[in-house]
Amino acid sequence: MPTVVAVGSALLDRIYPVTNLPEPDGGAFARDERLAAGGVAANVATACARLGRDAGVVSRIGHDDDGDRILDSLAAEDIDASHVARGDERSSYAMILRDDDGRRMIIAGGESIPKLRLDDAALDYCRDADVVFTSAYAPDRVVSRLVQAARADDAFPPIVFDLAGPLEELEGRGTEPATIDDLLPVVDCFVSSEVPLRSYLGCDGREAAAELRDRGVTRAALTRGEDGALLLDGDDVVEVPAFRVDAVDTTGAGDAFSAGLVDAWILDGKPAAEAGRFAAAVAAENCLGEGARGGLPGRETVLERL
């Protein structure tokens, strides 16, 4: 059985290097177009696999060429895809606009991920792992079933949850606010960047860390891009600086950071500051390559940066 099971999105990224990120009613010119495998769950699983962990994915794709490419990308990393379901709908995808500074804008489409469900076999698969990762891009019925399982079984594996996107972006296709509320007391590590966090709590930074603690969260990682991250560890809040790199592409940096936390904080039990620094190194390395997984490092590369 995999050590890490990631539940949620495995999809295809359509990447467009553009002259600028368009403003409302504005435009941009795409210099190129390329395809790359992506999706939060698949990205985290891939990052964990590069670090030497056995990983598996629970997701859904279509019976189309994109679905075949997604499966090929998982097989290339030796990631178990036995619980990736297939349907007649179009495989989910993301259009990523990226400017010359590595900043990006992401537009999601396709129907396969919203149709993902967690059946009994997939739930048992999660139960046998050492850690389960999921995100708010997973359908509400999927995350709510994980929450119910964790509440009913003290032996259920630790859950790492990434808020991933602002609530208005998740409406009708991702995890509902009420389910996120229910998840907080049972989640082992809550992860979010600033924009999703403000949409959910109305605040960020140390104020958000205190709010999460009051709601029953014992461990959290609040990422702030170039300003690093805050790690909530019980009653303590630890500052983790970011590594300064000449970023080629920031796509997937958050997923790489989450994978680093899964590896160092959850599986290896390292102290918060050490685990956060490890995760920051994984994220920094990934920013040196193109696409969500272009720079994902092996363990030796991370240790060299540290």
Side-chain angles (χ1 to χ4, degrees):
M1 291 299 301
T3 300
V4 180
V5 169
V7 180
S9 55
L11 47 78
L12 205 65
D13 289 338
R14 289 176 163 80
I15 302 168
Y16 301 92
V18 295
T19 52
N20 58 281
L21 296 182
E23 299 290 339
D25 296 323
F29 179 77
R31 301 190 182 98
D32 194 10
E33 176 187 27
R34 70 181 188 87
L35 300 178
V40 175
N43 291 342
V44 170
T46 301
C48 288
R50 298 270 181 98
L51 293 170
R53 303 291 185 177
D54 292 330
V57 169
V58 176
S59 190
R60 182 181 173 100
I61 57 177
H63 281 292
D64 51 22
D65 291 343
D66 283 359
D68 292 341
R69 293 187 183 99
I70 293 165
L71 286 181
D72 289 344
S73 72
L74 297 176
E77 303 288 347
D78 291 326
I79 294 170
D80 182 25
S82 60
H83 288 274
V84 176
R86 302 197 78 162
D88 294 331
E89 69 277 3
R90 181 179 181 181
S91 292
S92 292
Y93 62 90
M95 294 188 296
I96 300 173
L97 311 183
R98 192 189 73 230
D99 69 10
D100 292 338
D101 294 325
R103 298 174 302 174
R104 78 269 192 250
M105 181 181 294
I106 302 174
I107 303 165
E111 299 81 36
S112 63
I113 301 304
K115 290 188 175 184
L116 172 64
R117 298 294 179 264
L118 198 64
D119 60 21
D120 290 345
L123 186 60
D124 288 342
Y125 181 70
C126 292
R127 191 175 278 114
D128 288 337
D130 292 323
V131 61
V132 175
F133 171 88
T134 192
S135 81
Y137 285 142
D140 186 74
R141 282 196 272 182
V142 170
V143 176
S144 62
R145 190 153 197 222
L146 288 172
V147 172
Q148 291 165 9
R151 281 183 161 181
D153 182 2
D154 290 339
F156 197 83
I159 296 175
V160 177
F161 176 82
D162 184 355
L163 187 56
L167 297 185
E168 58 270 21
E169 180 186 337
L170 302 171
E171 188 173 354
R173 71 182 184 97
T175 308
E176 299 291 336
T179 299
I180 301 171
D181 292 343
D182 291 341
L183 174 137
L184 295 184
V186 299
V187 73
D188 194 73
C189 183
F190 180 91
V191 183
S192 181
S193 57
E194 293 173 299
V195 173
L197 198 59
R198 285 195 296 269
S199 77
Y200 176 51
L201 295 179
C203 58
D204 56 21
R206 291 181 177 270
E207 184 180 355
E211 178 68 19
L212 289 170
R213 184 193 297 116
D214 290 344
R215 296 193 188 195
V217 177
T218 56
R219 284 197 281 193
L222 312 181
T223 62
R224 303 177 296 177
E226 294 181 354
D227 293 327
L230 295 177
L231 266 56
L232 171 67
D233 185 21
D235 292 331
D236 298 327
V237 177
V238 178
E239 293 258 5
V240 177
F243 285 90
R244 300 299 176 185
V245 297
D246 293 326
V248 173
D249 189 350
T250 60
T251 306
D255 301 340
F257 189 88
S258 292
L261 289 180
V262 167
D263 182 278
W265 208 8
I266 309 302
L267 292 173
D268 282 352
K270 295 184 185 300
E274 186 179 349
R277 195 65 172 156
F278 182 89
V282 177
E285 289 294 334
N286 195 46
C287 290
L288 299 178
E290 292 189 353
R293 307 177 193 170
L296 286 177
R299 188 173 300 276
E300 288 303 317
T301 301
V302 177
L303 296 179
E304 287 173 8
R305 176 168 290 278
L306 290 171

